Amino acid sequence: MSGHEAKLPIYTVDSACGPSAQAVPARQPPARRCLLRFVLAAVLSVAVVQYVRLSAHLLITGQDDASHVPLRAQEYLDKCQLLNVKPGPPPDFHTRTHSDRYVPGTEATLITNATIWTGRGNGLEVVHGDLLLHGGIIRRVGQLQEESLSEYAGLKRINAHGRWVSPGIVDLHSHIAVGPSPELDGANDSNSFKGPVQPWLRALDALNTHDDSYATSIAGGVTTSLVLPGSADAIGGQGIIIKLRRPMDRSPTGLLLENPYETNRSVYDPSVAFRYRQMKHACGENPDNWYGFTRMDTAWAFREAYEKARKIKRAQDEYCAKAVSGQWAGLGEYPEDLQWEALVDVLRGRVKVQNHCYETIDLEDMVRLTNEFKFSIAAFHHAHETYLVPDTLKKAYGHPPAIALFATNARYKREAYRGSEFAPKILAENGLQVVMKSDHSVLNSRFLLFEAQQAHYYGLPHNLALAAVTSTPARIMGQDHRIGFLSEGYDADAVLWDSHPLALGATPQQVWIDGIAQFESPHTLNKPSSFQEIPKTPDFTKEAKQTLKYDGLPPLEPTRSHHATVIFTNVSSVYLRDAQSVREAFASNAAGTLGAVPGVVVVRAGQIACMGLASGECASSLADKDEDVQFIDLEGGALSPGLVTIGSALGLEEITAEESTIDGYVLDPLMNSVPEVVGGKGQLIRAADGLLFGTRDALYAYRAGVTTGIVTPQTSGFLAGLSTAFSTSARHRLEEGAVVQEVGGLHVAIHPVGTPSVSTQIAALRHLLLGENNGELKYWVDKVKEGTTPLIVSIESADAIASLVVLKGEVEANLHHPIKVTLLGATEAHLLAKELGKANVGVIISQTRPFPQYWEKRRILPGPPLSGTNAVATLLAHNVTVGVGVVEAWMARNTRLDIGWAALESDGQIQKADALALASVNVEKLLGIKADSSHGDLVATRGGDLLGFSQVVGVVSPRRGIVDVLQ
C-alpha cells in the first residue's frame, strides 16, 4: 500500500444498522449515523414519490409548472377528486353477508307463516311466507325450504300465525336524544340561539344516550329516526340518522345508521361511495319569533348564507379545474372553510335538506331560493299549506320536495291554521311523495303509525299510508338501499304486528333491529281475525274538494234537518246513557254481530220514538203514515252517546299561539297580587265568561262525535277557577243549549315548578279547605266542603297524588263527611290505584297513551308490548271511577279513537259500553256536570260504531230537539 493510500480514513462495519448496514467512518457514533441515514432515506423516498406522481401528472397534461407545485398538492388533488363523487351506497352493497351494525353472536331468526308487506311495488307487494334474518341483514323473503336452513346453527323460529310483518317504522323528523325524555334543563340541546344561520352545528354532538323514549318508541315499531336540530334557526345545523337499538358500546356513535363523519378509510371510503348528510332549515314564524325577524329578514339570512357557500363552491371548482390540469401557478391553498363546508355540500347535492316550512308565502320563498342557488330540498316538514299549492312545489329546483306531515295536529299557530286532514290524500293525488312524521316529542314517536292510520282514514291509499312511515321516509333521507323495505340484503329491521298495521291500536308483538329481538318477554294481545284486514274507510272525496274550494277553511257548521222525522236504517247497535253508565239498548241480533236483518231507529223532534229490527214493529208502524221523513243509511253503523272532552283549552282558544284569539291566563293569587277590582284574594274566575264559540277545533270535535266540551280557566299557577260545560256546535253563548252547565267544579293545579314548591301548593290547598276564605272563593270552597261541588286537581306525580290523598283524609276527618275529589292528568295514578279506590278519588287520565315527557310523568304504565295492561284498566280494576281527556284542543276530535284504543289494550276488560262511558257519563260525574240521561246527545256513525274508523253522519240532540246532519 502506498503512503498516500495509508492516509485514507479507516472504515469499519456498523453492526447496529443490521444486515443492510453500510461502512461508516470509524470516528462517527454508529447509532447516530444509522438513524440519520434512515431519516434521509425516508425523506428522499417521499420526495421521489411525490416528484414522480406530479411529473407524471404534468406530462399527461402537457404542462411543466412543477416549480409552483405546493407541498400539499396531492392532498388538494384528492379533495378535488372527491368533489365529483356522487352520494349513495357502494355498488356492491347488497352483496354483503353481514351488516356493518351486526353484533357478533346474534343468532339467525326465521319468521314463518307471515303476511309480509315488503314495501316493494309501490307498497302493493304482499308475500305470504317466511322471513330469514341473519348477520344483521335480511337473507330470504318468501317460501323457504327446510334444507336451505341447515347452515344456520341455533336458528330461532317465530310462527307469525298469518299476522302482518312490515319493515321497521322510519321517522323522518324527530328530536329524540337531542331533547331527551324526561325533559330536563341539563339535557335540552335541540336548539342553539347563537344566530339564525349555523350550518356547522351537528346533532351528533348533542346525541344523548339516556332517553326514556328509545324503549317506548321501539315499542311502537320505530327502528330508525332522523334526529334533527330544532327549528329556532333558519339554518339550524346537521341532522343524524340513528337506529334506536341500544348499542353494545353505549356510545352515541354506536347509534348511527351510517356515520358520514367516519374518518377510518377502512370503514368508510368517501372516494368510493359518499354518504348523505342531513341539514335542517326552518322558515316562517319560528326564526322570526326567536330573532325578532320579519320574513324578509329570514329570506335574506338564507340568501346571504347560500351566497357565501356558492362563492366557496365556485372558488373550489375553479381551483380544481386548474390544479387537475397542472396550472399550479398562483393557486395557493385549497379554498375551504370548516364552518361552511356542509352548506357547500348542499349545493353539490350531497346533503339532504329537511325544511320546516308551513305557509304558501314561505314555501314559495324556499322554492325561489332553490332555483336561485341550484339546490334541492328533500322534504318540506309540517307544511300545512302544501296541499293548496302542489304546482308551486313542483317548481322547486331538481325535483319536487316530499311533504312530511302531521295527520290532524293543526291550529296551534297561525301558519298551521289551514292544516287539513285531507292534505295527504290531496298531495298524493298530485303525484307528490307523502311522509307522516312525529316531530318527537311534539308527538310521541311511539305512535307514529297512528299518524299513518289517520292519513289512511282520511283518504290516503293504504299502500301509500304504510309507505309514508317506512319506504318513503327511507328514500327521502337517502337510505332506501338498506331500510324501509323487507328485501334481501336490507337491514334486518322488521316488526311483527298483532293486527294489520293500519288497524286502530296495531301493536308490535316483536321488533327486530339489526336482526336482534328488542323484547325479551313481550305482552301480546289476541285480536279478532277481522283486525288482520285492511280497515275500510269512508269516502271523503266531497270533503276534500270542499277544503280546496274554501282555501283550507271549509264550512264546518252542521246542517240541521228540517224533516219532522229522521229514520236511521241499517243500524247494527244502539248505546244509550243510564244515570251513571252506558248500556247497549239494541243490537241487530242476539249474538251482537252484524246479522242478516239490520235495525232501524226512528227519531222525532230530537227524541228516539222507537227502535228495532227493520222487519219489526217499529219499522212497520211507519208504513201507512204520510210523514215528512228523512232517511239516513248507516250501512251497519250505530248510535252512541255524544262524547265529552276535558283537559285542553277547547272553547277558550282558536289559535293557541295568537293571544288575540284566546281567552288568556288567569292571575294566580299564590304568585300575584290580584287587584281588588277582580275580587282580590276572594276572586274566582269562571270559564263560562271567556267562552269562544264556533272555533274550528270545537267544530271538528263535534263532527267526530264530541258534542260537549268542559273547560277550565287557563292557568300556569295554582288556582284556576270554575269550569263550564258547553256545546261544541253552538254559534254563540246566547243560543239555546250553548252553555250546558254554567259551573262544574273548582279547579286547582299542583305541579313541580320550582317556586312555589309542591309542598307550598299543598299547603295553599289545605288553607283553602280548612282555613278562612272570602268573596266568591269562599262560596265555592264551601260547596266543595259540603260535598256538592267536586274539587278537580290537575296533577301528575304519584308522590304529589299521595300527599293529596292524605290531605283529603285530613279534611274529611275535620268535616266529618266525604268530599268529592277528581284528579286530572294523573299519569302516575296507576301506582296508587288501590289507595285511590279506597279513598274514593276519581281519575281523568289525559292522555290515555302515556309518554314520560316530564319528570312528574316519568313512571308510566305503557301498555302492550311493554306491560300487560294500561293505566285505565288498572284503575278500573280497583273500583276507581275513570274518565279520559286530552291536553291540546286539536286532540279532542280523536277522543273516540282514544277510548277505542284503551279498550283494545285492556284485552277484553273494557267492553264497548264501558269505553263509551269513559268519555261521557264518567267525565260528567267526575266534573260535576249534572246530565239528564234522556236529554243526552246521540251520535250516528256510518260503517261501524263510534270506537273505530267509522264516519260520524249525524247528531241527535234531545236537549235542543233537533237532528244535525254531517254528510
Side-chain angles (χ1 to χ4, degrees), residues 16 32 79 85 248 295 381-382 429 464 489 505 522 698 756 769 813 903:
R32 183 176 178 183
K79 289 184 177 182
V85 180
M248 298 299 291
R295 281 179 165 80
H381 293 240
H382 307 311
E429 288 172 350
L464 300 183
L769 296 173

Side-chain angles (χ1 to χ4, degrees), residues 604-627:
R604 293 192 182 96
Q607 298 277 355
I608 293 181
C610 67
M611 56 183 161
L613 295 175
S615 59
E617 182 178 342
C618 179
S620 61
S621 67
L622 300 171
D624 299 328
K625 293 187 177 181
D626 184 16
E627 290 190 85

Side-chain angles (χ1 to χ4, degrees), residues 226-242:
L226 170 54
V227 181
L228 294 168
S231 54
D233 304 334
I235 301 179
Q238 301 166 49
I240 195 72
I241 304 170
I242 66 171

